[in-house]
Amino acid sequence: MPFLIAFSLVFFTLVAPFASGQMADENMVVYGKAEKEISVDRIDIQSFTGFGKNINREEFVQDFSTASDVLDDANGVQIKTIGGVGGYSTVSIRGSVGKQINIYLDGMLINNAQSGDAGLDLVPTALVESIEIYPDFTPVQLSNSNLGGAINIVTIDLFEPRKELNISKGMYGSERYSLAFSDSFRAWNFLLAADHEAAKNDYEILNDQSTPDNPDNFVVEELQNADYEQSAAVIKVGHDFSKKRNFDGLLSWSESEKGIPAVNNNQENRASLNVESLRLQLKYLAKIWGIRSSFRAGFSLSDELYDDRNGAVGVDDEFMRTENQSWFAGAIAEYGWLNNITSINAELRKETY
């Protein structure tokens, strides 16, 4: 929460003078803006030959929902969450398990190479423009294919002017504060966004007190140690050099802290999982001699700390830190001839665990 307040103060300090300067210009003439051509690394679902579904921002931006909640409402997608808001979530498409589904952020694979899973809820919905679901084969723009299909999370468009402030509150101490602002300055477009969400998750459960065959010993009590808190921020910049060349970059940061409830709802349980992540993505688009191309590079860092030193959740005391580093570079080229389109996607990835 202190981070979000500080971010908001800096945000409005920087934005207010620029916004007032725009309003003072009474001679401004707007001629309209031509619709931009869909970039080569974006999937046009209307012309996609496979089955695909697009969930737009308007469908979830006003709700207190995570990326898992949004996907859970889609046909053919099942989400299993443990521990309430912010808990561990797995996604299944048409019976496949989480490791068989590739998760992308703006076309960049975010699945963990060691476990095969991806943290859906590490990308707050306040920073999401749309979520694309491909349950059968994976579009060539996403390169890697998997048995269970693919999910592509698209961040909000920095080339669309935007001023948003959302405050949501719900049951069991759940709350969310988010803001997003995008505009242009000279030849550059920029986006600033921040999000903070938290939940106590103190709802009632039926505790069998490790005697499942003795219903008389069951008690109703509040779930212990399931609280959740996450803060995130993103900076996105872009520049149109010409109608055929443009650049954009994204820098995102998130930090979450989640209490891990025990099976027997142990009152002494203090187990927690803290995750901090940093991600940078750069992209350059160009059209040369009729060939549409995209060059991408980026890296991501994540630091997870699991603390169960009193052994309340596992079979023994545990205190484990996991660091993940991933480097990525890739290129897409596409050429249309007669009634055909030929596409090539090549990429290089290195992950250290």
Side-chain angles (χ1 to χ4, degrees), residues 92-112:
S92 173
I93 299 179
R94 296 182 177 178
S96 61
V97 297
K99 297 179 181 180
Q100 297 174 328
I101 302 170
N102 284 346
I103 311 295
Y104 300 85
L105 178 65
D106 284 341
M108 180 177 176
L109 187 68
I110 61 175
N111 291 67
N112 186 295

Side-chain angles (χ1 to χ4, degrees), residues 109-179:
L109 187 68
I110 61 175
N111 291 67
N112 186 295
Q114 191 270 339
S115 66
D117 293 328
L120 275 175
D121 295 326
L122 294 180
V123 183
T125 52
L127 314 180
V128 177
E129 180 69 31
S130 63
I131 301 179
E132 303 168 346
I133 306 170
Y134 304 98
D136 41 26
F137 64 88
T138 304
V140 67
Q141 291 90 339
L142 300 180
S143 184
N144 298 288
S145 60
N146 208 336
L147 294 175
I151 296 173
N152 186 32
I153 302 173
V154 182
T155 58
I156 49 184
D157 186 5
L158 79 162
F159 291 101
E160 177 184 339
R162 184 189 311 270
K163 297 177 180 66
E164 290 181 2
L165 175 63
N166 294 302
I167 300 176
S168 304
K169 287 184 175 293
M171 299 176 62
Y172 310 117
S174 59
E175 58 184 17
R176 169 179 291 154
Y177 309 91
S178 65
L179 58 87

Side-chain angles (χ1 to χ4, degrees), residues 29-330:
V29 179
V30 179
Y31 294 98
K33 182 178 180 181
E35 186 174 348
K36 294 185 64 175
E37 182 181 13
I38 296 178
S39 60
V40 66
D41 58 351
R42 288 292 306 275
I43 302 101
D44 184 4
I45 294 185
Q46 300 299 324
S47 60
F48 179 54
T49 55
F51 179 77
K53 177 178 176 59
N54 187 34
I55 305 175
N56 293 314
R57 181 177 179 83
E58 292 76 13
E59 300 180 39
F60 57 80
V61 67
Q62 300 297 335
D63 302 329
F64 188 97
S65 57
T66 63
S68 297
D69 297 329
V70 175
L71 287 169
D72 201 25
D73 292 333
N75 293 332
V77 181
Q78 296 81 41
I79 298 292
K80 183 177 181 180
T81 302
I82 302 174
V85 176
Y88 177 72
S89 299
T90 59
V91 58
S92 173
I93 299 179
R94 296 182 177 178
S96 61
V97 297
K99 297 179 181 180
Q100 297 174 328
I101 302 170
N102 284 346
I103 311 295
Y104 300 85
L105 178 65
D106 284 341
M108 180 177 176
L109 187 68
I110 61 175
N111 291 67
N112 186 295
Q114 191 270 339
S115 66
D117 293 328
L120 275 175
D121 295 326
L122 294 180
V123 183
T125 52
L127 314 180
V128 177
E129 180 69 31
S130 63
I131 301 179
E132 303 168 346
I133 306 170
Y134 304 98
D136 41 26
F137 64 88
T138 304
V140 67
Q141 291 90 339
L142 300 180
S143 184
N144 298 288
S145 60
N146 208 336
L147 294 175
I151 296 173
N152 186 32
I153 302 173
V154 182
T155 58
I156 49 184
D157 186 5
L158 79 162
F159 291 101
E160 177 184 339
R162 184 189 311 270
K163 297 177 180 66
E164 290 181 2
L165 175 63
N166 294 302
I167 300 176
S168 304
K169 287 184 175 293
M171 299 176 62
Y172 310 117
S174 59
E175 58 184 17
R176 169 179 291 154
Y177 309 91
S178 65
L179 58 87
F181 177 85
S182 61
D183 213 320
S184 60
F185 180 72
R186 297 182 179 176
W188 289 87
N189 291 75
F190 63 91
L191 163 74
L192 303 174
D195 175 276
H196 178 84
E197 56 188 58
K200 294 181 180 179
N201 290 324
D202 53 356
Y203 51 87
E204 292 184 343
I205 64 170
L206 184 63
N207 186 0
D208 62 9
Q209 301 195 85
S210 301
T211 58
D213 297 326
N214 185 10
D216 294 334
N217 201 30
F218 293 1
V219 294
V220 176
E221 56 191 23
E222 289 187 347
L223 182 63
Q224 300 292 321
N225 197 47
D227 57 300
Y228 169 73
E229 186 172 0
Q230 174 174 289
S231 298
V234 64
I235 300 174
K236 198 173 181 181
V237 296
H239 180 65
D240 282 332
F241 297 98
S242 68
K243 293 182 178 180
K244 297 182 179 181
R245 297 186 302 121
N246 64 68
F247 160 85
D248 69 68
L250 178 146
L251 178 64
S252 64
W253 166 86
S254 69
E255 183 178 29
S256 66
E257 182 175 351
K258 178 73 176 72
I260 309 298
V263 175
N264 60 356
N265 206 33
N266 189 339
Q267 302 286 327
E268 303 300 322
N269 176 25
R270 297 294 181 269
S272 63
L273 176 64
N274 300 335
V275 182
E276 185 172 9
S277 64
L278 181 69
R279 180 175 287 109
L280 173 67
Q281 296 176 214
L282 304 174
K283 180 172 62 177
Y284 178 75
L285 299 172
K287 186 175 182 180
I288 305 173
W289 301 321
I291 301 175
R292 301 168 65 213
S293 58
S294 169
F295 304 92
R296 297 172 294 169
F299 75 92
S300 64
L301 306 172
S302 68
D303 191 339
E304 299 183 4
L305 183 63
Y306 177 66
D307 187 355
D308 182 26
R309 282 176 283 188
N310 62 352
V313 174
V315 296
D316 201 353
D317 300 352
E318 289 187 79
F319 187 69
M320 180 172 62
R321 182 177 182 179
T322 304
E323 295 182 353
N324 234 34
Q325 297 185 11
S326 177
W327 298 84
F328 166 86

Side-chain angles (χ1 to χ4, degrees), residues 336-347:
W337 51 283
L338 299 179
N339 293 323
N340 302 284
I341 296 177
T342 300
S343 300
I344 298 176
N345 190 344
E347 65 178 35

